[in-house]
Amino acid sequence: MTSESSKKSYSYKDAGVDIEAGNSLVNAIKPLAAMTKRSGANADLGGFGALFDLKAAGFEDPLLVSATDGVGTKLKLAIDLDKHDTVGIDLVAMCVNDLVVQGAEPLFFLDYFATGGLDVEATRDIVKGIADGCVQAGCALIGGETAEMPGMYAKGDYDMAGFTVGAVERDQLLKADTLNEGDILLGLSSSGVHSNGYSLVRRLIADFDLDLNAPAPFDTSQNLGEALIAPTRIYVKSCLAGVRAGYIKALSHITGGGLYENIPRILPENLIAELDAKSWPLPPLFQWMAEIGNIAERELATTFNCGIGMVVAVAPANKSALIQLLEEAGETVFEIGRLSARTNDQEQVLINDLEEAFLK
C-alpha cells in the first residue's frame, strides 16, 4: 500500500488553472479600467461588485436600458491572425450601439472572458480594446470575469461576452409611434464588416485558400486580414448628440440580418422603409466578397451591413441640421430613403435598384 508521504500533491495549476497569472492580469488591466472613469463610476477593479451613481451622472428621471452581446466567430479570425487588440472594441460596440438606438447613454460595461489557458499578454490586449471601446462610448469599465477552463477550449481559443447598462431620460426614449410617412432615412457609414457574417467570411477564406497576410484585392494599402478585422464603429456620441438636440426620431443598428431584418425592428406596422441602393456606395470589400462568393444581392444585404452601420430616421424639417451635426461629429452620412405607408402585408423594407447598384 502506498504511503501517504509518497502520494502526488495536486494543485490547481497542475489542472491547468494559474491563479498567479490571473492576479498578474488583474494588475495589468487596472490602469486600463482607470482610463474609462466617468461621473457616477470610479472604475476600480477587484471587488465582488461595482456601484454606479445615477444621480452623480446627472440624470433626473431616467429609465435604465441594458444590452448584452458577443463578437461571434470574428474571434477565430483574431486568433488566426494573432491580433487581439481590436476585438475588445467590437465587443463594446455591439453592446453600446444597441443602447443608443433607444436614446440611451451607456453608463458602464462589464465583460466575461473565457479561455482554456490564460495568456496574460493576449488577454491584456483584449482588455485594452475593451477599454478603448468604453472611452469611445463614454462608459466606464467597472468589472468583469476571467474564466480559465482547461478542457473547454482548444489551446489559444477564447470566447467573450459583454454587458452594458445605460440610461435615458424618460421624455427622450425613442419610440416607433413618433415615426410618420415621409420621414427621411439617413445612413451612417460602417467601418467594414463590423461583427456579423464572419461564419460566411471565414468560409470564403477557407474555400478560396485566401492569404490573410497578402495585400487586400480591393485595397492594396492594407493586407486582407487587417481589412477583415477592422473594428466595429461606435456611433454613441454622434447619435446621442442628435437625440438630445431633438432631431433623431429612431435609430436602427445594422447587425445580423442586415438591412432587411434590422430596420423593421424600429417601424410601426403601418410604415415601410423604402431605400435607394444607388444612394450610397457599396464598399469595395463587400463588392469583392459578393464577386468571389457569387453572393446574391438579397443575401448580401441580409447578411452584411453593406456599408451602412446605423440607420437614422428624421423629420424632413430637421434633416439638414441633423446631417450637419452628425458630420461635425465625424460621421459619413448618406440620405438613403424614406418612410412610406404600408399596404396589406407588404414587406417592411424595400430596396430599389439593389441588383444594379450592388452587383455591377
Side-chain angles (χ1 to χ4, degrees):
M1 186 172 180
T2 306
S3 68
E4 291 293 326
S5 62
S6 65
K7 285 184 178 180
K8 178 180 179 180
S9 177
Y10 284 84
S11 69
Y12 211 7
K13 191 170 184 178
D14 292 331
V17 179
D18 190 341
I19 293 177
E20 290 182 5
N23 291 335
S24 174
L25 176 65
V26 171
N27 290 329
I29 65 179
K30 278 184 177 180
L32 302 177
M35 68 186 255
T36 72
K37 186 175 180 178
R38 55 153 294 160
S39 58
N42 58 20
D44 287 337
L45 298 184
F48 287 100
L51 300 176
F52 192 93
D53 186 342
L54 275 172
K55 187 174 182 180
F59 287 89
E60 296 179 1
D61 184 22
L63 297 171
L64 292 180
V65 185
S66 62
T68 186
D69 210 333
V71 182
T73 58
K74 188 175 187 177
L75 293 180
K76 291 293 291 182
L77 184 61
I79 292 165
D80 291 343
L81 291 167
D82 193 25
K83 179 175 170 54
H84 311 282
D85 58 340
T86 59
V87 287
I89 298 175
D90 289 297
L91 185 66
V92 175
M94 295 304 290
C95 294
V96 298
N97 285 342
D98 279 354
L99 285 190
V100 76
V101 298
Q102 296 175 82
E105 174 187 349
L107 302 176
F108 59 84
F109 189 88
L110 300 99
D111 67 279
Y112 172 81
F113 176 83
T115 184
L118 192 60
D119 180 331
V120 173
E121 184 176 352
T123 308
R124 185 195 177 282
D125 282 348
I126 291 164
V127 179
K128 173 64 165 61
I130 293 172
D132 288 342
C134 286
V135 169
Q136 290 181 38
C139 64
L141 175 59
I142 62 173
E145 168 68 6
T146 300
E148 197 172 2
M149 298 189 289
M152 285 288 289
Y153 298 90
K155 182 177 175 56
D157 281 355
Y158 58 84
D159 195 10
M160 56 186 184
F163 175 75
T164 188
V165 171
V168 55
E169 297 289 4
R170 194 177 301 269
D171 61 357
Q172 290 187 341
L173 182 69
L174 299 184
K175 300 177 182 178
D177 60 10
T178 67
L179 294 172
N180 299 303
E181 182 179 355
D183 283 344
I184 303 297
L185 296 177
L186 305 177
L188 307 187
S189 180
S190 68
S191 56
V193 183
H194 283 186
S195 297
N196 297 102
Y198 277 88
S199 292
L200 177 52
V201 171
R202 291 174 54 248
R203 181 65 179 269
L204 295 175
I205 292 169
D207 286 1
F208 291 94
D209 195 23
L210 299 173
D211 182 357
L212 295 174
N213 294 310
F218 47 86
D219 180 4
T220 56
S221 68
Q222 59 183 333
N223 65 40
L224 180 58
E226 290 171 341
L228 292 176
I229 206 172
T232 306
R233 186 166 179 81
I234 293 175
Y235 299 96
V236 168
K237 292 182 179 179
S238 59
C239 288
L240 276 181
V243 170
R244 290 170 176 168
Y247 298 149
I248 291 178
K249 301 181 74 173
L251 291 161
S252 176
H253 183 203
I254 307 304
T255 57
L259 296 163
Y260 278 106
E261 294 189 12
N262 284 290
I263 296 176
R265 297 168 68 179
I266 66 169
L267 298 179
E269 290 295 320
N270 64 317
L271 294 176
I272 68 166
E274 286 195 71
L275 308 184
D276 178 5
K278 293 182 178 179
S279 62
W280 79 93
L282 180 68
L285 185 160
F286 296 102
Q287 183 72 45
W288 169 76
M289 286 197 296
E291 289 172 355
I292 67 164
N294 193 29
I295 303 173
E297 65 276 4
R298 174 77 185 226
E299 178 70 17
L300 196 70
T302 306
T303 305
F304 300 110
N305 64 63
C306 295
I308 300 296
M310 186 74 77
V311 173
V312 185
V314 58
N318 293 327
K319 181 188 75 171
S320 296
L322 178 58
I323 290 174
Q324 181 178 348
L325 183 154
L326 291 170
E327 288 180 341
E328 288 175 350
E331 303 294 352
T332 300
V333 186
F334 303 97
E335 183 176 340
I336 62 172
R338 64 187 58 245
L339 298 183
S340 302
R342 188 183 189 190
T343 58
N344 302 322
D345 293 327
Q346 189 177 16
E347 189 174 17
Q348 283 197 286
V349 175
L350 174 64
I351 306 181
N352 296 312
D353 298 319
L354 182 63
E355 183 172 0
E356 183 179 350
F358 278 20
L359 303 182
K360 297 175 183 177

